[in-house]
Amino acid sequence: MLSATNGAMDKDSEELMNTNDTSEQVMALVPPELHKYLMVHPRNSSANSTEKYGTKNVSDILRVIQRLNEAQTIYNEDIFGPVQNDTIIIAIQVHTRLTYLRHLIVSLAQARDIDKTLLIFSHDYYDEEINSLVRSIDFTKVMQIFFPYSVQTHPTEFPGMDPNDCPRDAKLEQALKLKCNNALHPDLHGHYREAKYTQTKHHWWWKANRIFNQLQCTTGHTGNVVFLEEDHYVAEDFIHMLNLLRVTADRTCPQCEILCLGTYLKTYQYHSNSDKRKKHLTLSYIQQVRAVSEERRKRQHEGQTWNYQVYPNFYASTQKVEITPWHSSMHNMGMVFNRTVWENILELHDQFCAYDDYNWDYSLLHLSQNRPGREKFKVILCKGPRVFHIGECGFHHKKSNCNASTVISKVQKLLQDAKSYFYPSRVTATISAGGAKHNKKLTKGNGGWGDLRDQELCTNMTQMGRQLRKYIYFA
């Protein structure tokens, strides 16, 4: 389930996470030339930025993001050349978790061939410190786009929370007496909308529409778009693996519409001792998972609650990939698809926008399971993941002792241990039908999306066409 937050919610955990100092252990594993992306600078100037730090009201923010969206500026284009039709686009959905974003940028900076990509940062919260960080990136082309229907820019009206919106837990009879907005349309669980949840689905849908249908630089783009979030972390060979997956899919699975570079499984058993490693390799995958789960259970009982490890047969000279039906909660991290797939999704935009679920990924799953005359989306994924989730602090993780550096250092250590297995020359694909839970037909959504205004806004986002690029010069 993806984190859905706004500027006013979960302040304690978010501020705690953002004020965590980057530990010496983490810094030691980051090349010195990249430390600049982890340093907090005084709020008096912004590198490569047209705005100065200072408080802006809602009108100012709306004016600025409209101007920036119209400009469609691509930073560093003069250094790395224009966007080509086959350029890999990396779309990063950003909220406010600056600490995680810093480390994502550090991981991207270390990726081979990153200079051939375009990073598009899609923001639902305007923050000049975040802008300054993004615009300081000097290792590839960068663009920023700003979600114009955010809670931040609509604090007292839809798509934010209107004062006359029905209380979340109001009963239908009570809502009718109150004559509150959308009283006749609670969600399937009988609750009324909460903007802090609906925003994430709106943002994802707007971002995809914006990238494929509205930007001038993507008019003829036919390459891959990689979907990441601010609390992801990539391995240095993720682009290499992406290209291997694409070639493998074209050769063995032309019906595979989605590629996936990430996983949420947190244990990948790695043994430096060759005898142990040989013994472990003789076990089946299920046996390996059970054995490591038992080890993890024992460690948790002893007070060790979190660890990343590596399965040796996931990271090897010939690495394993799996072809299986796409499932939202398993294959939504480091998800990759192209314009052809997007157009297939867009044909069923009414299903996406009307489905009563505030999660964009579960809405895609509903769409996948109900495509007339077509099978569900198929995905080809790395068994040895190249994208990791480091977002242990945030809305869905209310930990009093949350420390971003602890998680990040674990991922860094995992990648260091697995480094000798990066850049495999080839992969071997296995086909899986998926488990019972994996293939279970969605009978109903998770709710949070019963409000007709959300469904209408979502639908309207598909109607906007490309804008002529306007060159704006700042004094």
Side-chain angles (χ1 to χ4, degrees), residues 134-157:
V134 169
R135 294 172 192 175
S136 72
I137 292 172
D138 58 9
F139 51 82
T140 194
K141 298 182 286 293
V142 174
M143 174 183 277
Q144 287 182 287
I145 59 178
F146 294 85
F147 178 55
Y149 310 110
S150 71
V151 173
Q152 182 195 30
T153 54
H154 299 79
T156 58
E157 61 179 343

Side-chain angles (χ1 to χ4, degrees), residues 105-147:
I105 290 171
V106 165
S107 71
L108 290 166
Q110 297 176 81
R112 182 185 292 182
D113 292 329
I114 194 67
D115 58 318
K116 299 180 176 68
T117 69
L118 169 65
L119 303 183
I120 298 182
F121 292 84
S122 184
H123 305 265
D124 61 28
Y125 192 87
Y126 182 89
D127 180 89
E128 289 169 344
E129 188 172 3
I130 293 176
N131 293 343
S132 177
L133 171 65
V134 169
R135 294 172 192 175
S136 72
I137 292 172
D138 58 9
F139 51 82
T140 194
K141 298 182 286 293
V142 174
M143 174 183 277
Q144 287 182 287
I145 59 178
F146 294 85
F147 178 55

Side-chain angles (χ1 to χ4, degrees), residues 256-268:
C256 285
E257 296 165 286
I258 297 175
L259 315 179
C260 183
L261 296 164
T263 181
Y264 289 95
L265 184 64
K266 288 182 178 172
T267 308
Y268 319 92

Side-chain angles (χ1 to χ4, degrees), residues 391-411:
E392 292 295 292
C393 309
F395 181 74
H396 289 288
H397 303 275
K398 299 178 183 296
K399 298 182 179 180
S400 59
N401 61 343
C402 186
N403 189 314
S405 290
T406 301
V407 182
I408 293 162
S409 64
K410 296 288 187 183
V411 178

Side-chain angles (χ1 to χ4, degrees), residues 15 26 99 120 128-129 140 142 198 218 281 283 330 402 431:
E15 288 178 0
V26 169
T99 295
I120 298 182
E128 289 169 344
E129 188 172 3
T140 194
V142 174
T198 60
T218 61
L281 279 168
L283 300 178
M330 299 174 67
C402 186
I431 299 175

Side-chain angles (χ1 to χ4, degrees), residues 236-250:
E236 65 175 72
D237 71 335
F238 86 99
I239 295 173
H240 174 84
M241 286 302 298
L242 168 59
N243 291 330
L244 271 183
L245 286 179
R246 182 73 274 162
V247 169
T248 304
D250 290 344

